[in-house]
Every structure is written in structure tokens, then in C-alpha cells.
Amino acid sequence: MDAIKTVNLSKSYNNTLVLKQLNLNVKKGEVYGFIGKNGAGKTTTINLILSLILKDSGQVFINEEEIKFSDLAFKKLIGYVPDVPVFPSYMCAKDYLRFTLDIFDLGDSMVNQKTEEILEFVSLPNSTKKISSYSRGMKQRLAIAQALIHDPEIIIMDEPTSALDPIGRNDVMNIIYKLRGSKTIFYSTHILDDVERVCDRIGLLDDGNLIVQDTVDNIQKNFFSNKFYIETKNEPKFVLKKIAKINQVQNAVKENHGIVCYLEENTDENTLLKKLMEMDENIVEFRRVKTSLEDVFIRLTNEKTT
Amino acid sequence: MKKLLKYDYQYLKRTSKFIIFPVVIIILAVLSPLTARYLNEILAFSLGDQAGMFNFPDPVVFDSYVEYLSNLSDIYLYVIIFIGVGTFINDKTKGLYPLILSKPINRVKYLLSKYMTLSSLIFVSLMVGMLVFSFYTYYIFGEVDLLNVFLLSLLYFIYVELILAIAMFSAMYFKSYITAVMITFAGYILVSLINVFSFEFLKYMPGMISSNIIQVISNSASTPDVIYNVVVTLVITGLLVVLSITKFKKYDLN
């Protein structure tokens, strides 16, 4: 079952199409990483899913039910963490969480217990300090707390770590990691290390187009997995010259004591090995290098623009 | 709706707006009878020897009512415009909308709650002002017509409802606080300017409320005219509220 689905979703600003017939689906219970460069259309997609902006065309489904701009019921199923959360400056964390519970009709006798539990979960001190005095990281943790307090099925996060320092980022990632498996998480970012760490599937958005959508493993396997590390007894700089001349090698660079090269898509490693033997190279190490998501991202987005 | 009202009251309370409305009106309620009673004496004193050239009539209780109404129509309305626009536009300009509108909050109720909160706070302040003003007027002039003061406050409150509706309308249609305040002031001036013209068809327009209040407290008002004036004002207020709600229902964060 799809928790979130968009069908041919389009949006334009000032006659510029920023989201082009987007078709994505987020399965129930998975952590979906929505990645793309700045300006790719990630926030626009999230705003459309949440009915914060009006779409030009297309449909949005939450739990298989189509939503309209004025619908409210689906919002009970969602917890939203914006990229830059802004709270009423006169409130403290507890006030805001109480307000959220009230809005979701959950303002019962358990309010205090619920707010204390959630503040503990996101490691925020339960103080009466006004939110206006919070650091960026604390505000982000409060944003996560208010998104979780009504126990929603779906959490939508818009670049929750983009402006945080490494410690704040790690804290937020740990929270997402703790939620894995219990919630559907739709998480937009351009920090690919985070995606590799927590996401089950990813969607890569580039210039308003979803150019790939699959599991992290499949993407690494299917896209650009022909990356090899070769070390011979010969000096790397000489080996590099030889390897660069092989027709099936797309790109080769010196790395540590060996060479990292990319083979053409339909070429297998045996061809490369055979060529190296023919060159009388004594191979010390020959292995396939696991492609990072960053490689995939850079190559896919570059491929499209070149 | 109850929950939204609760949080809107909390907002007014914690941002000291809750105290501004009654405090300002108490000051005006105290100053108005004092000014009405002693203005002539102050003028005579400041003119010195030349004072004899002018004939200052003895102040009467009616002067106190007029002074109070005049202060309400100027100073107090400015306070209402500045705070009113701020209350309606604050969530937009401060960037609070993404978190608010991502929650299951009915937009109609959201807006009406703000309008009702402000209206009720101003109404209570007016009632407090009415009591203080009546007490001071009685203390200084030895007489006061409570019914007249109540009618003055009530008719003025209807005018305030219109100004609040203009403030809400401006806050919905414009992005910055300053622009919305300027538009609200423009609306207020436009409404007041109608007083200048004496066309028959304009006599029920909202700008005539002040004239009607004066006539009511001087017991010279035509009751049907006052009723039509109130009805037209309320209809225009309702129209502005509906237009604001329509705009907000389709409000797009971009």
C-alpha cells in the first residue's frame, strides 16, 4: 500500500514549470529519501502533498485516497517538519506541544505525560524557556517533537538537517533512525550520507523531474556499478597511462597506491582483467568499488545536463 | 473553534496586547471629561489678557460625551488599526503558516477566531471604558446619562467591527504589515470622508455612525436612520469578512 502517491503532479511559478508530471510513490512503513539539488522542486513537492500550495495539475494520494486542497482529515495522519521551523515566540516547548495536541483533539488528561515523553524522545530539556531563545538545533528537535506528538502514520521532513552543525545533524539522524520501521518517513535532503544511512528507497529529483526511484542497493547495483580499484606491482602513474588507453574504460584516476576506473556499462570485469594481463601487469589487488550515492547523484544529474 | 479562541486569547495575553486596549481606553475615559471640563479654562489661561475677546461657553456634560467619542474615533481607532492588522498578519509575516496550515485547522474558524478574540477584547475594554468614563463624568459634571454612554459605546463598537474587518481584509490581501496598515488607514479615511458629502444615498453609510452617535446622545436621532446605518455598516463588515475568508481559504504559501 502506498502511503503517499503523486500522479502527474505539476506546478509552475511565473510561467516556469518547476515540477513536471511527478509520479512518485512512498510505500507504507518505509523511509523514503527525496533527494535533489537546491531548487530541484523538493520543497514544492512537499508543499503540494501537504496542500500548502495549489497545484497546476495532477493528483496527490495519501493512503490511497485522493486529497483536495481544502481537505483536513488527511492532515491528522501526517506530522510535518519544515526546513526552517518557526514557532510563536511567546510560547515555550510545552505550550506548543499542548497547542498541537489540542488541534489534533488529543488534549486530554495525558497531555503532561505525552509532552514529557516526546521531549525526552527528542532530547529537549523540559523547561519553561521561550522558544525564541532556542538554538537552531533545539528548534529542529521541537519541530520533530510536534510532528510526532499526535502519533501520525506519516512523517514528512523537509531538509531537517540542512542548516545544522554536525552534532545537531547527528541528533536528528538518530531520531529518524529510531523511528525507522514504526512510521512512514518521507524525507527530503541533499545530504547523501544521511540518505545512505537511513533510507529504504530514494527518489532523485532533478529540475522538477523524478529521474530515478528505487532502493539504495538497487540504485548502487544498477547504476554505475562498474567502478574498480586496481593495484599492480608497477608504479600507479604508469599503470594509469596504460589503463586510460583501454577503449572500454570511461574514466580512470590515481587513488592511494592504485587506480580507480569506470568501465562502460556493458563491459564486465573479465575484459578489464584480460587487458591487464595482456599488458603484463602483476595484479596485487582487483576489486569492484561500491558506488556511493553521491557518485550516482552527480553522474545522473550531470548526465542529464550534458 | 474553542481551542483556537483559547490560543488567540493566549497570544493577546502573552504579547501584552491584552492590556493595551483597556489601559488606553481607561486613559481616554479619564482624560475626556477632564478635557471637556477644563479646556476652556486652559485656553483662557493661555490667552491671558486676550481671553476677554472670546466668549467661552460653560462646559456641559454633552461636551464630555463628544470629547470621549472624538478620542475614541481618533486615538483609539489608531491603536485598533495597528494592533488589529498585526494580529491578523503576524502568522504570515513571521513565517508561522507552514506549521499551522499543515495541521488540521479549519481556515474559516482560524480567521474568525482571531476576529472574534479581538472584537470581544475591544468590547470588554469599551465596557470598562464606559464605566470609568461615566464615573469621571459624574464626578466632574455632577450628572451622567448611563444609557447614552452605553449607546455611544455600542454604536462605536459596530464601527470598530468594520475597521477590524478592513484590517483583516488588508492582512489577507497584502504581504507586509506596513502595506496592510496603510491600506487599512486608507479604508478608514475613505469611510470617514463620506461624512463630507451630503448626498441622500450616503446617509446610511458607515462613515455616518459618528454623526448618528452625536444625534443619539443629544436625543435628536431618527431611530430608523440609525438602524439603517447600523445595518448597512454590519452588511459591509460581513462582506469584508466573507472576502477575507474566501481569500484565506485559497491562500497559497507562495
Side-chain angles (χ1 to χ4, degrees), chain A residues 87-98 119 123-139 141-142, chain B residues 14:
Chain A
F87 301 95
S89 52
Y90 60 91
M91 283 187 176
C92 68
K94 258 189 158 182
D95 289 336
Y96 195 79
L97 294 174
R98 274 193 208 116
L119 287 172
S123 313
L124 256 187
N126 182 7
S127 74
T128 50
K129 213 166 110 176
K130 282 188 179 172
I131 303 172
S132 52
S133 64
Y134 278 17
S135 68
R136 178 77 211 271
M138 287 167 85
K139 281 184 185 163
R141 274 182 277 168
L142 178 59
Chain B
R14 298 227 188 140

Side-chain angles (χ1 to χ4, degrees), chain B residues 135-159:
Chain B
F135 172 77
Y136 249 75
T137 301
Y138 183 77
Y139 182 74
I140 291 169
F141 289 92
E143 60 172 319
V144 70
D145 188 333
L146 274 175
L147 182 65
N148 271 349
V149 183
F150 176 70
L151 287 173
L152 180 155
S153 305
L154 198 64
L155 287 170
Y156 173 76
F157 176 68
I158 287 161
Y159 189 56

Side-chain angles (χ1 to χ4, degrees), chain A residues 6 8-13 16-24 34-45 48 203-212 301 304-305:
Chain A
T6 68
N8 297 329
L9 191 62
S10 297
K11 175 73 184 172
S12 56
Y13 296 117
T16 307
L17 202 56
V18 292
L19 209 60
K20 300 159 187 168
Q21 306 263 312
L22 182 74
N23 290 294
L24 66 78
F34 195 44
I35 60 176
K37 291 187 277 194
N38 289 332
K42 302 188 294 293
T43 301
T44 300
T45 307
L48 286 168
L204 172 54
L205 192 70
D206 188 47
D207 197 20
N209 295 298
L210 190 69
I211 53 177
V212 68
T301 49
K304 209 182 141 281
T305 49

